[in-house]
Amino acid sequence: MKIRRKSGMQIALLLLPGILIFGVFTLYPIAKLFVMSFFKWDFGSILEQEFIGLENYKDVFQDPYFHTVFMNSIVYTLITVPAQMVLGLLVALFIHSVSHCRIFFRVSYYLPVITSWVIASLVFKYVFNTEGMLNYFLVNVLGIVKQNIRWLDTRWGGMTIAMLLGIWKGIGWNMVVFLAALQTVPQELYESAALDGAGSIRKFFSVTLPCIRGTVLFALVMLTIGGFNVFTSIKMITDGAPGHQTDSILTWMYYKAFSTGKFGYSAALSFITALVLALLAVVQFRLMENKEGGQ
């Protein structure tokens, strides 16, 4: 009994620093942010805050800009997530099938992942700027168009460039995740499918996809969260222009907090976003469970 108690104390002491760090730097900020969402918390009330209940949440839902940025985040997620997953899976299948230069292909496709978001965003902004590299080639070199195209000066033009960057950056991450999953699929299943006369496409849908379903769900949930949390690319490429029409939820939250001082509004917006993501994760898990049960 004394040995067990001593062992338990040692485990508790080892866990204590991590628990304290997690509590101070994770749990406390979340709790503080939740409390802020019920107060009038801005530049004029730093020292003394007024409790206003659900007014911040009401302001968020009544804000027309919120509807715009929320739609931007939804569109960004709906386009970039499937594109990243499909392209990443195709690349993983390709690398899994080749017998030579696997390391070269892995490194090549993973390089965009480790590239700085800031640097990549600035490069994309330079390429697609009105006076940028792409317009120079289209107008001066190829002569396809007569005048520069204003890629970043419209809502969906700027969003499209940000989505292209998101897809380009995400293919490598999906490749690594799916490649690890493909290596766990038993070869016996492919051999049995071949004996039944199944071709490559049939093997993919009947053997590969069912075996990596858990990985697909993991990637889907993580990418959905990432899609709603897009910040750096939007901030660096368009900074919300024109007129906050290309803002995402996080860039709008940042603007409201640090440019207008509406910290209570931003706190409420953050919890609304967290609730939406939690609901989406639950729906995704349920859909995957239903598909597994139906098979």
Side-chain angles (χ1 to χ4, degrees):
M1 184 67 70
K2 290 183 178 180
I3 295 176
R4 289 184 179 178
R5 189 174 298 173
K6 185 177 180 181
S7 177
M9 288 291 294
Q10 290 176 343
I11 293 174
L13 289 174
L14 290 172
L15 292 176
L16 184 60
I19 293 174
L20 288 175
I21 293 174
F22 179 74
V24 172
F25 293 102
T26 302
L27 294 181
Y28 174 75
I30 292 175
K32 185 68 173 180
L33 198 66
F34 183 69
V35 172
M36 286 177 61
S37 68
F38 297 102
F39 284 81
K40 182 182 178 182
W41 202 301
D42 51 32
F43 287 144
S45 58
I46 295 294
L47 299 179
E48 184 177 353
Q49 299 80 36
E50 176 187 356
F51 179 80
I52 56 175
L54 298 176
E55 284 299 316
N56 285 321
Y57 292 89
K58 182 179 177 182
D59 290 342
V60 171
F61 286 112
Q62 291 181 344
D63 187 354
Y65 284 109
F66 166 71
H67 303 128
T68 300
V69 302
F70 189 75
M71 180 58 64
N72 289 344
S73 296
I74 290 178
V75 172
Y76 182 94
T77 303
L78 288 176
I79 292 178
T80 60
V81 170
Q84 290 177 68
M85 293 182 69
V86 171
L87 294 174
L89 181 55
L90 289 176
V91 172
L93 289 169
F94 165 71
I95 295 176
H96 187 65
S97 65
V98 300
S99 56
H100 302 288
C101 303
R102 284 189 176 183
I103 296 178
F104 170 76
F105 287 121
R106 289 181 185 180
V107 173
S108 299
Y109 282 106
Y110 197 73
L111 277 177
V113 181
I114 61 176
T115 303
S116 167
W117 270 102
V118 174
I119 294 174
S121 300
L122 290 176
V123 170
F124 267 65
K125 183 176 182 178
Y126 170 72
V127 171
F128 290 97
N129 205 312
T130 305
E131 305 296 332
M133 183 186 297
L134 180 59
N135 277 328
Y136 174 79
F137 276 99
L138 292 177
V139 177
N140 300 95
V141 178
L142 301 178
I144 297 176
V145 294
K146 295 182 179 181
Q147 59 183 5
N148 291 347
I149 301 173
R150 307 178 72 86
W151 304 99
L152 302 177
D153 292 349
T154 62
R155 177 185 181 184
W156 296 116
M159 288 299 300
T160 300
I161 305 307
M163 288 187 284
L164 288 175
L165 174 57
I167 294 170
W168 177 74
K169 285 274 291 178
I171 293 175
W173 182 86
N174 284 272
M175 176 268 295
V176 171
V177 172
F178 287 128
L179 188 58
L182 290 173
Q183 293 172 350
T184 65
V185 180
Q187 283 297 122
E188 295 81 4
L189 297 178
Y190 290 114
E191 294 172 359
S192 299
L195 291 175
D196 292 336
S200 299
I201 297 178
R202 183 64 179 173
K203 287 179 183 178
F204 174 76
F205 286 102
S206 299
V207 177
T208 305
L209 272 184
C211 289
I212 65 171
R213 189 180 300 277
T215 303
V216 172
L217 175 60
F218 167 76
L220 180 62
V221 173
M222 295 301 294
L223 291 174
T224 300
I225 295 173
F228 270 84
N229 287 332
V230 61
F231 175 81
T232 306
S233 57
I234 300 292
K235 184 69 177 175
M236 299 302 298
I237 294 176
T238 67
D239 198 17
H244 299 292
Q245 293 299 302
T246 58
D247 266 318
S248 64
I249 290 177
L250 286 195
T251 58
W252 179 244
M253 190 186 305
Y254 179 90
Y255 171 79
K256 293 294 288 186
F258 298 104
S259 295
T260 67
K262 303 295 182 180
F263 297 105
Y265 176 103
S266 297
L269 178 55
S270 69
F271 275 93
I272 292 172
T273 305
L275 179 60
V276 170
L277 289 174
L279 292 174
L280 285 175
V282 170
V283 170
Q284 289 168 347
F285 276 108
R286 290 289 177 87
L287 289 175
M288 294 297 290
E289 289 176 357
N290 292 338
K291 287 183 180 180
E292 288 180 352
Q295 290 184 344

